[in-house]
Amino acid sequence: MTDQSNILAEMNDRSREVFRRVVEGYLDSGAPVGSRTLTRSLSEQVSAATIRNVMQDLEYLGLLDSPHVSAGRVPTQLGLRMFVDGLLEVGDLTAEDQGKIDATLGRNSEDVTTMLDRIGSALSGVTHGASLVLAPKHEAPIKHIDFVSLSPDQALVVLVFGDGHVENRLFRPPHGQTPSSMREAANFLNALAEGKTVQALRKVMETEIVARRQEIDSLARSLIESGLAIWENEGDGTERLIVRGRANLLDDAPETDDLDRIRTLFDDLERKRDIAEFLELTEGGDGVRIFIGSENKLFSLSGSSLVVSPYMNADRKIVGAVGVIGPTRLNYGRIVPIVDYTAQLVGKLISDRG
């Protein structure tokens, strides 16, 4: 088969137009597009038989597929990728869509998570898909750490940051904890934590625990490791990904196979695994990226598409991402500028807040 990068270039005008019309028709309706439908929309007058021959050639190239005998054609994943890379016409952000997103602003008293939650809800509403917003890590230096016992099998680690931000996380402490072990654990951490971020503290803590093993009670050592591990995992993982608009995906899944796909996607979203990889998808520069079907390594089993863009802080460092996930027949031309605008907006808001 011809090299994928040259397929579009080697098509004649008729083949390219038939291909584009099939993909656009599928993205619009979700249904296979037949030759008789195309005879009414092509710029040149050709017979249905001629169009069927062109469609067969496109099927041979791996760009189209026929889901049923004597049915029309739908684009394959390769076909969608070729269309997005070579033929997609990205529209401008409409005033209506921009207005709905901008309407979430104007509440400067809200914390960052609440603000991003509102923006995510607006994004899912505008795109009719599920929105994903990866909140930035909190990287202010730590001011104070404390452990609070709630019950024999439940405790709280409290982190107070230099900028006044406070984080609380529940965790299961090691068996046999005592007030003295909790004080010892907190004192040990506070002696190391001043001026350090959580990540920096984690690195120093691992070294210091080994070096001062004889000085630290084993119970306090276990408490330190379990408490900070819980905070770091939850603070940097599941609670950073805000997902809104799951119900929108069900509205677009009339077939049993589609429902199974959506259930798989829901399971992935609930687990929120490999959250760090969500940000990795945006590497390679700023701007919107489109992942179709199995190209989307986070949700590949569900066969979904992801339109995602990173956002940056005032130092032009990528600190989070904004995306929309849905079926492969997303309206890419409309969603790309919406995601792009939302990412730029979030970046500005994050930068303004320092």
Side-chain angles (χ1 to χ4, degrees):
M1 183 166 40
T2 310
D3 186 350
Q4 295 178 9
S5 62
N6 297 325
I7 292 178
L8 279 176
E10 294 182 357
M11 284 185 190
N12 59 33
D13 291 342
R14 179 184 295 169
S15 296
R16 190 178 293 109
E17 184 177 8
V18 168
F19 174 62
R20 179 172 61 81
R21 297 281 188 180
V22 170
V23 177
E24 289 176 343
Y26 170 75
L27 294 180
D28 182 57
S29 68
V33 179
S35 56
R36 293 191 181 279
T37 301
L38 292 179
T39 58
R40 297 190 291 268
S41 61
L42 290 183
S43 57
E44 63 173 327
Q45 296 297 316
V46 294
S47 67
T50 299
I51 294 176
R52 281 195 294 271
N53 289 335
V54 174
M55 293 168 82
Q56 286 176 352
D57 291 340
L58 293 171
E59 189 171 352
Y60 173 75
L61 291 172
L63 302 181
L64 300 182
D65 189 22
S66 179
H68 306 289
V69 177
S70 301
R73 301 305 200 281
V74 298
T76 61
Q77 179 175 308
L78 172 62
L80 283 173
R81 171 49 59 190
M82 298 289 288
F83 174 82
V84 165
D85 290 346
L87 296 176
L88 177 65
E89 296 180 1
V90 177
D92 296 325
L93 181 69
T94 67
E96 180 182 3
D97 289 339
Q98 181 177 340
K100 290 178 180 178
I101 296 172
D102 289 346
T104 63
L105 309 180
R107 302 187 183 184
N108 294 329
S109 61
E110 292 179 336
D111 59 34
V112 170
T113 301
T114 302
M115 176 189 72
L116 294 181
D117 182 275
R118 287 169 53 81
I119 290 176
S121 295
L123 183 59
S124 68
V126 168
T127 61
H128 305 294
S131 68
L132 309 177
V133 180
L134 185 66
K137 295 179 181 178
H138 198 84
E139 296 186 334
I142 298 169
K143 182 179 180 180
H144 184 75
I145 299 175
D146 204 0
F147 292 97
V148 179
S149 177
L150 301 178
S151 69
D153 61 352
Q154 194 174 58
L156 195 69
V157 57
V158 182
L159 286 93
V160 181
F161 294 87
D163 60 359
H165 184 76
V166 179
E167 289 279 356
N168 302 312
R169 290 290 182 272
L170 286 170
F171 72 101
R172 183 180 293 276
H175 181 69
Q177 60 159 332
T178 64
S180 61
S181 67
M182 300 192 88
R183 283 195 300 272
E184 183 179 356
N187 291 338
F188 172 80
L189 287 172
N190 284 315
L192 300 175
E194 187 176 1
K196 296 182 178 66
T197 63
V198 171
Q199 286 183 317
L201 173 61
R202 184 79 179 168
K203 294 178 181 178
V204 174
M205 185 185 75
E206 292 171 354
T207 303
E208 287 295 316
I209 283 180
V210 173
R212 297 165 58 182
R213 179 172 291 273
Q214 300 301 321
E215 302 175 36
I216 307 171
D217 180 86
S218 61
L219 195 56
R221 185 165 60 248
S222 298
L223 188 65
I224 292 168
E225 292 172 343
S226 59
L228 265 292
I230 287 295
W231 189 92
E232 185 173 62
N233 290 340
E234 292 195 6
D236 291 349
T238 59
E239 296 196 356
R240 292 184 60 212
L241 185 62
I242 302 168
V243 183
R244 293 292 176 266
R246 292 179 178 86
N248 291 334
L249 302 179
L250 292 173
D251 294 338
D252 201 29
E255 302 295 335
T256 301
D257 290 346
D258 289 336
L259 289 173
D260 289 341
R261 174 181 61 80
I262 295 301
R263 289 191 186 100
T264 300
L265 175 58
F266 279 9
D267 288 343
D268 287 343
L269 292 175
E270 287 298 330
R271 295 189 193 97
K272 298 178 183 176
R273 291 179 176 173
D274 303 321
I275 300 306
E277 292 187 16
F278 181 64
L279 193 55
E280 290 176 10
L281 293 177
T282 65
E283 291 182 349
D286 56 356
V288 180
R289 298 189 66 187
I290 299 173
F291 298 88
I292 300 170
S294 62
E295 297 172 353
N296 176 358
K297 61 182 178 180
L298 289 184
F299 311 111
S300 59
L301 292 178
S302 67
S304 302
S305 283
L306 174 67
V307 181
V308 61
S309 177
Y311 60 85
M312 302 181 181
N313 61 13
D315 298 324
R316 301 296 295 169
K317 176 185 176 182
I318 294 176
V319 294
V322 173
V324 171
I325 190 167
T328 54
R329 66 177 194 87
L330 285 174
N331 185 343
Y332 299 99
R334 175 174 175 263
I335 289 178
V336 165
I338 293 174
V339 170
D340 183 45
Y341 176 77
T342 304
Q344 292 185 45
L345 180 66
V346 171
K348 183 178 185 304
L349 292 172
I350 295 295
S351 297
D352 289 347
R353 287 169 177 256

